[in-house]
Amino acid sequence: PRKKILGLTIQPERLGEVRHGPRPNSRYGALDNCRTEVAEAEAMMRREGIRWLSTTTKSIEEIATTILQELRPERLEY
């Protein structure tokens, strides 16, 4: 079911920064390419009714916790 799906997105500028590390000055990290890819991904998620989470300013731990809170809150009971 769709309620078990959570997409991830990121601001294109941040995606470009991340991609420039391993491949400086490549098309892969070009801002216009990143903008297109993020826009297409978000359009697809919107079209399919998939909720998404921006990972732009989150650590991997924060992303994992948010996903668990959204999809399986019973797993976080202490």
Side-chain angles (χ1 to χ4, degrees):
R2 294 268 189 253
K3 68 180 186 175
K4 297 263 184 179
I5 299 173
L6 185 65
L8 301 178
T9 190
I10 190 169
Q11 289 179 349
E13 296 79 10
R14 178 65 182 130
L15 180 59
E17 289 172 11
V18 170
R19 289 181 172 183
H20 273 302
R23 308 218 20 215
N25 303 316
S26 70
R27 177 86 188 118
Y28 178 65
L31 186 54
D32 62 329
N33 185 58
C34 293
R35 283 186 177 132
T36 299
E37 288 184 22
V38 170
E40 288 175 358
E42 288 179 357
M44 182 271 305
M45 290 185 281
R46 192 175 298 108
R47 188 174 52 250
E48 297 299 323
I50 298 169
R51 298 173 300 147
W52 70 80
L53 165 70
S54 176
T55 63
T56 303
T57 60
K58 294 186 179 350
S59 68
I60 191 68
E61 295 83 5
E62 290 172 302
I63 295 166
T65 299
T66 302
I67 290 170
L68 284 174
Q69 287 172 337
E70 290 286 322
L71 303 180
R72 309 235 2 233
E74 71 279 2
R75 297 281 305 258
L76 295 178
E77 292 177 6
Y78 297 99

